[in-house]
């Protein structure tokens, strides 16, 4: 649990750093501003020290172009493996906020509805409750009321493959739901 909290804290720090950095100097040409780069790097190092984060990677994208990327600290403190701009980090639950925002943007554009059945987009995903096929909505996934057991997180494969997300969802195939979709975890039906 401590490791998960550290990862969440790191993800939130990264988000805060990116937001702070983007508000400090919007529209600058990063490569031409060594002074601003030094300030950004000092800010990251200070936040890393304050929050006791062993390693962090920062990427700044402006108008779709990567204008800065650098690793700070260690990916593995014991082996002194440094963080690079290519180091992969487990983001854990911090991705939920981004997913929710993306869903709302897609809904605003009329490309989906939160009340849509997930099988509209993933037709092969069939889940059952007490042997009966169930419809699960996007909203139920967002609100953690889908009935998918929380212990399924242990079956997420570690992968760098292009289809890693699909492989993760495929681990749910054959999984029995632990409650009827739409019912909160602590509610009996």
């Amino acid at each position: 649990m401590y490791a998960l909290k550290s990862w969440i804290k790191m993800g939130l720090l990264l988000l805060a750093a990116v937001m702070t950095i983007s508000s400090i100097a919007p529209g600058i040409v990063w490569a031409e501003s060594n002074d601003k780069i030094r300030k950004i790097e000092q800010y990251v190092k200070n936040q890393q020290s304050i929050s006791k984060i062993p390693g962090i990677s920062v990427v700044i994208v402006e108008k779709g172009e990567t204008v800065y990327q650098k690793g700070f600290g260690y990916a593995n403190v014991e082996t002194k493996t440094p963080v690079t701009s290519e180091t992969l980090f487990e983001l854990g639950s911090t991705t939920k906020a981004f997913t929710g925002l993306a869903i709302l943007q897609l809904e605003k554009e009329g490309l989906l509805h939160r009340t849509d059945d997930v099988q509209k987009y993933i037709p092969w995903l069939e889940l059952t409750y007490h042997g009966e096929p169930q419809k699960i909505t996007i909203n139920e996934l967002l609100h953690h009321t889908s009935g998918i057991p929380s212990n399924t997180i242990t079956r997420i494969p570690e992968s760098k493959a292009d289809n890693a997300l699909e492989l993760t969802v495929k681990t749910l195939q054959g999984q029995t739901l632990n409650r009827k979709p739409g019912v909160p975890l602590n509610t009996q039906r």
Side-chain angles (χ1 to χ4, degrees):
M1 186 56 122
Y2 173 76
L4 180 59
K5 285 182 182 178
S6 292
W7 287 112
I8 291 170
K9 187 167 145 182
M10 181 185 59
L12 292 174
L13 173 65
L14 179 59
L15 178 60
V18 169
M19 293 178 81
T20 301
I21 290 165
S22 64
S23 68
I24 290 173
I28 69 166
V29 178
W30 294 95
E32 296 176 6
S33 179
N34 289 332
D35 186 47
K36 291 191 182 194
I37 289 173
R38 278 194 293 278
K39 287 180 182 178
I40 289 167
E41 291 177 354
Q42 189 58 52
Y43 175 81
V44 171
K45 289 175 184 175
N46 289 343
Q47 294 305 308
Q48 185 180 2
S49 175
I50 291 167
S51 298
K52 296 179 178 34
I53 295 173
I56 188 169
S57 183
V58 175
V59 178
I60 299 173
V61 178
E62 184 176 19
K63 297 179 183 174
E65 301 278 331
T66 300
V67 293
Y68 174 87
Q69 63 185 75
K70 183 175 178 179
F72 298 83
Y74 298 111
N76 184 322
V77 176
E78 292 171 6
T79 62
K80 301 264 190 240
T81 304
V83 170
T84 70
S85 60
E86 302 298 317
T87 301
L88 297 178
F89 289 92
E90 183 176 326
L91 294 177
S93 293
T94 59
T95 59
K96 291 176 188 174
F98 298 111
T99 301
L101 177 61
I103 294 293
L104 290 174
Q105 288 175 329
L106 291 170
E107 186 173 50
K108 184 177 179 181
E109 293 176 22
L111 299 172
L112 59 74
H113 299 283
R114 286 175 284 154
T115 55
D116 288 344
D117 182 346
V118 172
Q119 282 190 308
K120 180 176 180 179
Y121 307 98
I122 311 173
W124 49 262
L125 182 61
E126 296 179 6
L127 300 169
T128 62
Y129 179 70
H130 291 284
E132 296 291 321
Q134 299 295 308
K135 290 185 178 185
I136 297 173
T137 68
I138 294 170
N139 241 355
E140 289 165 341
L141 287 174
L142 289 170
H143 291 257
H144 296 277
T145 58
S146 66
I148 297 171
S150 61
N151 66 352
T152 59
I153 195 169
T154 62
R155 294 171 36 199
I156 294 175
E158 188 173 315
S159 176
K160 295 179 184 178
D162 290 342
N163 67 338
L165 186 56
E166 182 178 349
L167 294 173
T168 297
V169 176
K170 284 186 175 184
T171 66
L172 298 174
Q173 285 292 64
Q175 175 68 50
T176 301
L177 301 176
N178 66 4
R179 62 193 183 281
K180 195 157 181 62
V183 176
L185 183 59
N186 34 351
T187 304
Q188 298 290 326
R189 195 183 250 192

